[in-house]
Amino acid sequence: MAALDRVKVLVLGDSGVGKSSLVHLLCQNQVLGNPSWTVGCSVDVRIHDYKEGTPEEKTYYIELWDVGGSVGSATSVKSTRAVFYNSLNGIILVHDLTNKKSSQNLYRWSLEALNRDVAPTGVLVTNGDYDREQFADNQIPLLVIGTKLDQIPETKKHEVLTRTAFLAEDFNAEEINLDCTNPRYLAAGSSNAVKLSRFFDKVIEKRYFLKDGNQIPGFSERKRFGGGTLKSLHYD
Amino acid sequence: MSFLIDSGIMVTSQVLFFGFGWLFFMRKLFKDYEVRQYVVQVIFSVTFAFSCTMFELIIFEILGVLNSSSRYFHWKLNLCVILLILVFLVPFYIGYFVVSNIRLLHRQKLLFACVLWLTFMYFFWKLGDPFPILSPKHGILSIEQLISRVGVIGVTLMALLSGFGAVNCPYTYMSYFLRNVTDADILALERRLLQTMDMIVSKKKRIAVAHRTMFQRGEVHNKPTGFWGMIKSVTTSVAGSENLSLIQQEVDALEELSRQLFLETADLHATKERIEYSKTFQGKYFNFLGYFFSIYCVWKIFMATINIVFDRVGKTDPVTRGIEITVNYLGIQFDVKFWSQHISFILVGIIIVTSIRGLLITLTKFFYAISSSKSSNVIVLLLAQIMGMYFVSSVLLIRMSMPLEYRTIITEVLGELQFNFYHRWFDVIFLVSALSSILFLYLAHKQAPEKHMAL
């Protein structure tokens, strides 16, 4: 197979929400048997058919970068993490449906990742508060995924799901709620799988296609040995 | 009547301490987690409240506040409650939460929790045998038995923490030990890290592509089963899957390398931040303090060695000795009784406040480092246990710093413990801990520049 074009998607969230299990499920179509602490960053690759079923179908690599850590870490740890945030094309925000704090921390996670990007629009750094307009303006597609759906008792399900719907609205993003130990949530044809596919399509579109539908000549694998900083290239 | 007033005062202060412990738990310890089991929070706050009340009673003793008989009563009551909590309640709940984390034993949680607690009690009891802490004339379940064992564990903890703290404090404060880190170093390391990540990604792409082609061709990547499958596998080589497992091994090795590089990069960033900090005014102040503390640390190690070698136990406390020196040698006359009370109050107060503050900070740091959403309950309870034992043994040791007339209540309440043993034990463990910390820090310091240069 010839070298395919690639996009980079970050997977962010608090420790223990299930990012590694999620990435393993998305890429290997299997449940992760022995989850353990992620030190640094672990990457996995998913092959995605853009515009599946249409004549313009094309295959892309989607790199899922799962960055571990806590949002309240020291500044030095944050600067170390920041090296992974370069040239990202999409963000998946993962939170634990049984833990309210992990949902609240998503705002801080998204600000941390978006501040690293040298975006033309320029995301303002406020004192950590979010602003809905920032996210409306944001060029990078977001997706909110809630995990551990099976651990919520039936009585509380409605309340939890309304809360997460508000959360996704704040980010101007779609949301998926699932249980990472059960592959049937992402079975082909289910609404979750459709949302996921739509998200990846959107990421690919933003990266490779101009607004009028023409394709940007793809960058095949090219290692970047930038002298000082590793700047990303943007096409609007 | 006065007894009621005194009890009222004690209860109010206990409620205040309880509130403080509750706030500390919510704001500092559990700020990233959700509290689902309020039992844990209550136990932590109760332990904190009763430990602080003990210190409060010492202060009251020195200042002469409250009626002396009601003080004695409250001492006894407080001690009983704290021992109950430390020996019965907290270990039981630790066992209970550990068991509830293990899925297999979910049904008989209580039973297994009781089993764990009984094991704990057995080892706890056995702990007292090798130490010459008691005269054998006491009964089995007396306060002295329990306190002596709690005291041993607590004193060991205190000495370990003190020893490590005494060495680590100058090491972190002084900028003499900071390695020189330049921006170029960090960038070089980051570049290596990203290169490694790129290599991992390209190998994973090959694996993914191979899986997809196999899937599309209808082969599933299991080993060939059945009789014909085995015959087939002899002729048609399953080279694809062999190749894949080789690539997978390479990926594993690269991932391990990427983790190492990430940790080194984080280390360099932290060092750079400390270098920046040391250039500020605050940093310079701490640097100066560091020199002062290193002298203090050396002196303490020296004194501990002298105490052990010459089998010396200080008979008088620092306050009385200080006053003696000023009166006899410097010829300054002043009212001994009045001043000794106030000075010992200040001294003991400072010791208490710094030890509480130091312990809470250490516990918080420890908690952030090792807890996860599953084990947070167990760890908090362990910390409550450590905190309780630490405070109880602080009371044992603080007796040394107080003048004779104030020591009586501690001696009276705690019974006939061999206090000298505890001081000796503290000195021994302090020495061991300080020396091994020095060794450990020396090795860690030596190793880092070598790693750095190997890049």
Side-chain angles (χ1 to χ4, degrees):
Chain A
M1 234 179 190
L4 305 171
D5 291 330
R6 56 193 271 265
V7 286
K8 173 172 165 179
V9 174
L10 274 187
V11 179
L12 295 179
D14 278 352
S15 312
V17 295
K19 299 185 293 293
S20 308
S21 306
L22 177 70
V23 167
H24 198 259
L25 185 63
L26 288 177
C27 298
Q28 317 281 349
N29 284 319
Q30 274 176 346
V31 175
L32 183 60
N34 52 337
S36 64
W37 285 109
T38 318
V39 175
C41 172
S42 91
V43 196
D44 216 341
V45 173
R46 177 179 162 112
I47 299 187
H48 178 73
D49 294 315
Y50 174 62
K51 286 209 173 145
E52 192 168 7
T54 65
E56 295 127 14
E57 176 175 334
K58 190 169 179 223
T59 328
Y60 287 88
Y61 286 125
I62 303 200
E63 297 169 15
L64 293 168
W65 291 57
D66 161 22
V67 178
S70 154
V71 72
S73 301
T75 328
S76 59
V77 180
K78 287 192 186 171
S79 356
T80 325
R81 274 209 295 261
V83 78
F84 299 121
Y85 297 162
N86 283 306
S87 66
L88 58 91
N89 306 118
I91 306 183
I92 297 182
L93 295 166
V94 187
H95 66 117
D96 184 349
L97 291 169
T98 59
N99 184 349
K100 245 187 263 183
K101 291 250 172 77
S102 67
S103 321
Q104 287 164 3
N105 283 337
L106 285 184
Y107 297 109
R108 296 164 69 184
W109 275 115
S110 52
L111 281 178
E112 185 181 322
L114 292 174
N115 286 340
R116 302 307 303 181
D117 205 5
V118 188
T121 51
V123 179
L124 280 170
V125 182
T126 54
N127 53 348
D129 292 333
Y130 73 100
D131 188 1
R132 211 179 269 212
E133 273 130 44
Q134 286 179 356
F135 288 103
D137 218 12
N138 174 33
Q139 298 283 17
I140 300 192
L142 301 171
L143 176 69
V144 176
I145 295 191
T147 55
K148 306 196 189 168
L149 182 64
D150 54 321
Q151 288 179 23
I152 308 184
E154 279 302 321
T155 46
K156 289 214 170 154
K157 243 189 193 148
H158 178 71
E159 173 197 328
V160 169
L161 291 177
T162 12
R163 173 168 58 88
T164 55
F166 279 128
L167 183 74
E169 221 180 280
D170 276 340
F171 286 114
N172 201 17
E174 296 233 23
E175 65 151 349
I176 296 178
N177 294 317
L178 48 68
D179 166 23
C180 295
T181 59
N182 192 343
R184 78 172 168 90
Y185 282 98
L186 289 175
S190 63
S191 65
N192 287 339
V194 169
K195 284 189 204 169
L196 197 64
S197 195
R198 252 205 321 250
F199 170 70
F200 286 139
D201 282 350
K202 202 164 148 196
V203 170
I204 293 174
E205 238 169 55
K206 281 263 157 65
R207 169 71 179 89
Y208 284 109
F209 291 84
L210 296 169
K211 285 206 179 93
D212 56 7
N214 291 332
Q215 188 173 5
I216 305 167
F219 280 85
S220 49
E221 306 272 358
R222 199 208 285 174
K223 302 218 160 70
R224 299 204 180 107
F225 292 130
T229 54
L230 299 157
K231 270 203 156 67
S232 56
L233 300 157
H234 284 268
Y235 294 86
D236 250 334
Chain B
M1 188 57 203
S2 65
F3 178 72
L4 279 174
I5 300 180
D6 293 343
S7 308
I9 298 179
M10 291 306 299
V11 169
T12 335
S13 55
Q14 272 170 356
V15 167
L16 271 172
F17 287 133
F18 181 84
F20 183 75
W22 186 272
L23 272 176
F24 173 74
F25 184 91
M26 288 228 320
R27 292 291 169 79
K28 284 259 163 175
L29 281 185
F30 254 49
K31 67 177 167 83
D32 286 331
Y33 301 104
E34 208 171 287
V35 184
R36 251 165 291 157
Q37 306 270 15
Y38 277 102
V39 175
V40 175
Q41 197 168 2
V42 166
I43 291 182
F44 183 85
S45 312
V46 163
T47 317
F48 184 76
F50 279 101
S51 313
C52 287
T53 319
M54 274 198 302
F55 287 126
E56 192 192 12
L57 281 169
I58 294 184
I59 298 276
F60 282 172
E61 187 67 32
I62 295 181
L63 288 181
V65 176
L66 302 188
N67 207 349
S68 96
S69 55
S70 50
R71 274 203 306 255
Y72 181 72
F73 170 76
H74 278 285
W75 258 114
K76 278 274 182 197
L77 176 68
N78 218 348
L79 214 52
C80 286
V81 171
I82 265 234
L83 283 176
L84 257 166
I85 295 179
L86 285 182
V87 176
F88 294 105
L89 201 60
V90 177
F92 175 74
Y93 269 108
I94 291 180
Y96 180 76
F97 281 114
V98 165
V99 167
S100 37
N101 266 341
I102 308 176
R103 280 197 189 174
L104 291 171
L105 308 172
H106 222 52
R107 304 279 168 75
Q108 282 107 353
K109 266 196 270 200
L110 274 171
L111 179 67
F112 281 104
C114 287
V115 166
L116 271 175
W117 181 77
L118 285 168
T119 333
F120 165 77
M121 279 309 285
Y122 175 73
F123 283 112
F124 184 71
W125 211 257
K126 277 290 172 195
L127 191 64
D129 290 345
F131 296 111
I133 11 183
L134 289 182
S135 34
K137 60 181 179 179
H138 293 282
I140 275 286
L141 216 54
S142 61
I143 286 192
E144 283 82 6
Q145 295 270 4
L146 294 176
I147 277 238
S148 58
R149 286 169 171 81
V150 169
V152 168
I153 302 179
V155 166
T156 319
L157 276 171
M158 272 186 82
L160 280 173
L161 279 178
S162 295
F164 181 70
V167 173
N168 195 36
C169 176
Y171 182 74
T172 39
Y173 282 176
M174 290 181 5
S175 50
Y176 174 75
F177 294 113
L178 282 182
R179 296 189 300 279
N180 211 4
V181 170
T182 60
D183 277 341
D185 293 333
I186 296 185
L187 279 172
L189 204 56
E190 281 182 356
R191 210 184 312 161
R192 263 193 79 186
L193 179 59
L194 285 177
Q195 279 175 30
T196 317
M197 299 303 292
D198 278 339
M199 286 198 282
I200 295 178
V201 166
S202 56
K203 289 206 193 306
K204 287 218 165 159
K205 283 178 186 170
R206 284 170 59 188
I207 297 181
V209 162
H211 277 160
R212 191 169 147 118
T213 31
M214 275 174 27
F215 184 67
Q216 280 171 346
R217 269 193 238 143
E219 299 163 20
V220 194
H221 45 265
N222 308 359
K223 301 188 189 48
T225 51
F227 185 62
W228 284 117
M230 278 198 287
I231 300 289
K232 240 201 282 185
S233 71
V234 172
T235 48
T236 61
S237 57
V238 209
S241 67
E242 276 172 21
N243 220 6
L244 279 187
S245 64
L246 199 67
I247 303 184
Q248 184 63 43
Q249 279 175 5
E250 289 173 18
V251 165
D252 290 336
L254 281 175
E255 282 186 332
E256 188 58 44
L257 177 65
S258 78
R259 281 191 276 270
Q260 293 291 338
L261 287 174
F262 178 79
L263 289 175
E264 278 178 37
T265 318
D267 203 31
L268 284 189
H269 273 281
T271 315
K272 179 171 162 212
E273 200 180 305
R274 276 181 58 198
I275 294 180
E276 297 287 321
Y277 181 73
S278 73
K279 295 192 182 128
T280 67
F281 184 66
Q282 254 190 331
K284 294 207 169 91
Y285 167 70
F286 275 113
N287 188 27
F288 172 71
L289 269 189
Y291 283 105
F292 180 70
F293 274 125
S294 55
I295 299 178
Y296 173 72
C297 166
V298 169
W299 183 74
K300 274 204 86 164
I301 294 182
F302 182 65
M303 288 307 289
T305 327
I306 295 274
N307 278 344
I308 296 175
V309 169
F310 291 116
D311 201 16
R312 194 177 75 100
V313 180
K315 284 289 176 199
T316 53
D317 57 291
V319 179
T320 319
R321 286 217 74 209
I323 293 182
E324 268 174 21
I325 292 176
T326 47
V327 167
N328 291 342
Y329 294 106
L330 300 181
I332 304 178
Q333 299 287 341
F334 55 90
D335 187 358
V336 178
K337 261 188 81 88
F338 176 75
W339 281 108
S340 81
Q341 186 186 30
H342 281 80
I343 294 181
S344 49
F345 162 67
I346 294 176
L347 184 68
V348 169
I350 292 179
I351 294 179
I352 290 176
V353 167
T354 42
S355 68
I356 293 184
R357 181 178 171 274
L359 181 76
L360 287 181
I361 290 180
T362 316
L363 289 186
T364 319
K365 269 197 241 175
F366 198 63
F367 184 73
Y368 286 160
I370 65 174
S371 76
S372 72
S373 48
K374 278 183 80 175
S375 59
S376 53
N377 283 334
V378 173
I379 295 191
V380 164
L381 286 176
L382 274 173
L383 293 184
Q385 175 92 353
I386 291 178
M387 176 173 71
M389 289 187 170
Y390 185 92
F391 285 155
V392 166
S393 34
S394 298
V395 168
L396 283 182
L397 293 180
I398 228 178
R399 187 181 153 276
M400 198 55 145
S401 315
M402 305 199 312
L404 262 163
E405 58 261 33
Y406 307 125
R407 285 188 202 177
T408 47
I409 189 156
I410 299 187
T411 329
E412 224 178 284
V413 168
L414 293 183
E416 287 177 33
L417 292 183
Q418 303 279 23
F419 288 104
N420 296 337
F421 163 75
Y422 287 107
H423 288 285
R424 184 53 27 80
W425 184 246
F426 181 89
D427 284 330
V428 169
I429 300 283
F430 176 82
L431 201 61
V432 167
S433 163
L435 290 178
S436 39
S437 313
I438 291 181
L439 186 68
F440 172 72
L441 283 177
Y442 175 74
L443 286 175
H445 192 68
K446 270 288 169 179
Q447 202 196 26
E450 279 165 11
K451 265 199 299 190
H452 204 49
M453 282 189 277
L455 294 176

